[in-house]
Amino acid sequence: MNKLLIPTFYAKNLFDIDINFFTLLNIKYIFADLDNTLDSYKEEVASKRVIDYVTLLKKNEINLIIVSNNSNKRVEKYAHSINIPYLYKCYKPFTKKINKYINNNKINKENCIMIGDQVLTDVRCGNKLKIKTILVDDLVNSNQLVTKFNKFMAKNTLKKLKSRNMLVNWRDVYVRIQESR
């Protein structure tokens, strides 16, 4: 199995992840996909759940940056609704645009994590960047056409990850870290 397709962690969704988990991992920057990771692709602005989560992240000095393959028009409106930085047309799994952002902002990759709902784009991109990754399930059952194609292509990979117990639940790691302290 291609190691670039294996996420560091798995979570049901972003909102399921306790902020203290990021703190324990010394995460200061979360690069999050937008569509079906933060909200449905049909949402033009951030939902209350996202607004509350971003507020909690900011209180804990964790920066959320949207990294999307979608257009500027789509991503800008959403990101501005919660006043966070964003990158659009990232062409994930390619890393050039995100890597440039990391370098320009002098961000230590050890303090970064990529979160997304797609193995072929989000997880692969994060792994190519050499940062931790979290694969999440879809928030909603509807996807854009290109995403449907990517999900279809990744179906066998996901089956293998599950059957080989290669999806490490973030909660299990969180509990182990807390017990070892």
Side-chain angles (χ1 to χ4, degrees), residues 3-19:
K3 290 181 180 182
L4 291 176
L5 301 179
I6 303 170
T8 314
F9 309 108
Y10 162 78
K12 183 79 178 146
N13 61 62
L14 171 66
F15 312 101
D16 188 45
I17 305 169
D18 189 314
I19 300 296

Side-chain angles (χ1 to χ4, degrees), residues 96-113:
K96 185 177 181 178
K97 199 167 197 175
I98 301 168
N99 219 15
K100 184 177 178 182
Y101 181 89
I102 289 170
N103 291 333
N104 286 347
N105 290 284
K106 297 177 176 52
I107 296 171
N108 183 341
K109 288 185 179 182
E110 290 179 18
N111 302 121
C112 298
I113 198 160

Side-chain angles (χ1 to χ4, degrees), residues 28-173:
K28 301 289 181 199
Y29 300 91
I30 297 173
F31 292 95
D33 179 51
L34 172 53
D35 297 326
N36 238 340
T37 299
L38 291 174
D39 264 319
S40 162
Y41 75 92
K42 296 176 183 177
E43 298 293 330
E44 291 186 18
V45 296
S47 63
K48 180 166 178 7
R49 178 165 67 168
V50 173
I51 293 167
D52 293 345
Y53 200 77
V54 168
T55 301
L56 188 58
L57 288 172
K58 287 179 179 180
K59 282 181 185 173
N60 286 274
E61 299 178 1
I62 300 171
N63 302 285
L64 180 69
I65 300 106
I66 294 175
V67 288
S68 177
N69 286 349
N70 219 316
S71 69
N72 183 43
K73 181 181 176 186
R74 159 76 176 123
V75 184
E76 180 181 44
K77 184 174 185 177
Y78 187 93
H80 281 255
S81 75
I82 46 178
N83 195 31
I84 62 169
Y86 66 95
L87 300 172
Y88 64 95
K89 287 193 178 179
C90 290
Y91 301 109
K92 297 174 288 179
F94 297 108
T95 61
K96 185 177 181 178
K97 199 167 197 175
I98 301 168
N99 219 15
K100 184 177 178 182
Y101 181 89
I102 289 170
N103 291 333
N104 286 347
N105 290 284
K106 297 177 176 52
I107 296 171
N108 183 341
K109 288 185 179 182
E110 290 179 18
N111 302 121
C112 298
I113 198 160
M114 172 80 74
I115 301 176
D117 65 307
Q118 294 189 62
V119 172
L120 298 180
T121 57
D122 305 311
V123 171
R124 189 167 180 217
C125 179
N127 286 335
K128 285 171 70 177
L129 286 165
K130 297 185 170 127
I131 63 176
K132 294 171 190 73
T133 57
I134 298 179
L135 176 66
V136 295
D137 292 338
D138 289 343
L139 284 178
V140 296
N141 289 328
S142 61
N143 282 298
Q144 294 170 303
L145 188 59
V146 69
T147 305
K148 285 180 184 179
F149 177 76
N150 285 341
K151 297 258 182 185
F152 175 77
M153 296 301 291
K155 199 159 82 173
N156 284 335
T157 300
L158 278 173
K159 281 183 184 177
K160 285 179 186 175
L161 288 170
K162 288 176 183 174
S163 70
R164 296 177 184 176
N165 292 320
M166 297 175 89
L167 292 179
V168 178
N169 192 300
W170 74 272
R171 286 182 194 279
D172 297 336
V173 176

